[in-house]
Amino acid sequence: RFSEANPPPPLSMKDSMDLWIENILVLYGDKEPRDTVPVAEGDVSDLMGGPFFLALHRCFKQYGPIYKLAFGPKVFIVVNDPVVCRHILRERSILYDKGVLSEILEPIMGKGLIPADYETWKTRRRAIVPGFHSAWLEFMTGMFGYCTDGLSEKLDGLIAAGEGTAPVVEMETEYSSLALDIIGKAVFNYDFKSTQTESPVIKAVYRTLREAEYRSTFLFPYWKFEPLNWIVPRQRQFRRDMKLVNNTLRKLINEAQHGKQSTELDDLKRRDYENVSDPSMLRFLVDLRGESTTNQQLRDDLMTMLIAGHETTAAVLTWATYELVQRPDIYARVRAEVDAVMGDRQSPPTFQDVKSLNLTRRVLAESLRMYPEPPLLIRRLLADDTLPGGEIGKPTNLKRGTDVFICVYSMHRSPALWEEPDVFNPDRWLKPFSNPGVEGWSGYNPPDPNRASLYPNEVNADFAFLPFGGGSRKCVGDQFAMLESTVAFATLVRRFDFSLGCAPSEVGVDTGATIHTKGGMPIRVRKRGEWDELNEASAKLAQQ
Ligand code: HEM
């Protein structure tokens, strides 16, 4: 009934009330539930305290790939099944919007792609996607290398200052600064220089990002009650920060508008970026002929990309480092691969080089499997729908207004889908899926087993792997992010001997929009060739 041309109408207050009444009737046994999905009722208290996605993972182990979280009449359906994910994200994506996530992020991102209503999203997505064209990505790859060199110099400085004692560096912070510098340059040609300095704008951006994360894990949006924004200190701070960030963005947008040169899309895509003074996404969006939008919309687009593209990439680098340093054998192989591809060149990998860094990319994909960013996707159903049932499960009928969580973390660590799901094994991607299966899990739908790929993504993995989401709302920055993290990771791993600065179990996990560490990622940084264990692994590899 609904299509792109005829999307379902937004929810009304009456729809929400109808759903609540139905849930209350079911709760008191006065109405039959629409489905046989198990309810994780007794476990709700377990959800408070500690990362939310880990609590959901505990429920997943008990209830399987589809279950309900019931907070009285408020019910969330939690799904972790590839075929159901494919249904929600690709086949029926028109029926699902971002629900509670839009409500939370709208004050920060406005009508940017993530929280936007359907009509705005459709128009802006069409304008933004061509911005990630290959000439731009190729030029950006050089910029990723340039920014990573800045971090390498900083690490060299810390090693020199250690005078023989290898420094322990909190790498989550360093990766976060690197990713901020990169996204600032890429999106609006602004140099945060956050790897070198701290400025009021950087601090405001960080606090705003923290607030976005805080809000995305807070189910009661108290900041919508205006007086509290004047009373609660963190909300007062947030208003001040937003003012500073918005003023900075407005200035950049005004400058870009001032130099506007209306250009056809094909000409923009053929631009010689080496000779362009401002290669940013902002410039592209301003110059694109036929795309007239407001400065406010541009602000929302840029702010959304800044937030979506910053912590995610930093988290991938952080967790890939954590896993790699515990496996010197794989570390040695990654380094050997980078050496083989780069030969004598000491500069960072280029766009072409990245295509040959297969193991390095698989290491990043494997850490995205183990630590998906974000660990949870959030949707709300805009029309009645029936989720596909599996061989064992029964169809699940959902009512308009139902909130749905896709717990990507659980799916990526499901024993039904992955052999040894908690083991870091970048070579798993070379083999077709084994579909180990778990007997008795209702609703379980195995993905197509004949899948293996050098380029792990949601299509190759038949939606069992969702590193960048899938379907129409898939990440627009996926290629950008993979290029960025491959260049940064390959450069640093080639140049430095990283090892863990504490016991692995001491690295705690915290929640946010992405998976953070609790207390940082201490990494001992030595010059290449100074960590005995890695030297031994490299020597062993050379003999093979
Ligand atoms: C959406 C992951 C980097 C911009 C998404 C989604 C995921 C994701 C899972 C889908 C969310 C959903 O369906 O609810 C990641 C990861 C990244 C990354 C893991 C890094 C490794 C980036 C970068 C940019 C970006 C670098 C921009 C330059 C966006 C935008 C959306 C999005 C604008 C919303 C798309 C839409 O709704 O149409 N990302 N992302 N992301 N991402 Fe990324």
Side-chain angles (χ1 to χ4, degrees), residues 40 43 46-47 50-65 67 69 78-80 369-370 372 375-376 405-418 421-422 441 509 515:
D43 305 74
D46 214 36
L47 297 173
F52 187 54
F53 69 93
L54 289 183
L56 290 185
H57 195 51
R58 285 194 291 277
C59 291
F60 165 73
K61 285 181 178 163
Q62 189 173 350
Y63 299 101
Y67 59 91
L69 277 184
V78 188
V79 303
N80 314 281
R369 183 188 67 78
M370 296 180 76
L376 208 64
F405 290 153
I406 295 179
C407 188
V408 183
Y409 182 85
S410 291
M411 192 167 71
H412 283 189
R413 290 187 182 234
S414 167
L417 302 170
W418 313 93
D422 294 327
W441 270 16
V509 173
I515 305 176

Side-chain angles (χ1 to χ4, degrees), residues 79-133:
V79 303
N80 314 281
D81 173 296
V83 174
V84 176
C85 291
R86 193 173 66 202
H87 173 92
I88 294 172
L89 297 177
R90 192 171 71 191
E91 283 146 19
R92 296 277 176 90
S93 66
I94 195 78
L95 301 187
Y96 294 83
D97 76 359
K98 298 273 175 99
V100 72
L101 192 68
S102 294
E103 290 163 12
I104 288 166
L105 292 177
E106 199 264 344
I108 300 170
M109 296 183 180
K111 287 181 173 237
L113 283 186
I114 292 180
D117 58 276
Y118 181 70
E119 284 307 321
T120 311
W121 170 80
K122 208 163 65 170
T123 318
R124 295 315 296 156
R125 176 121 184 161
R126 210 177 290 137
I128 290 168
V129 165
F132 290 87
H133 52 277

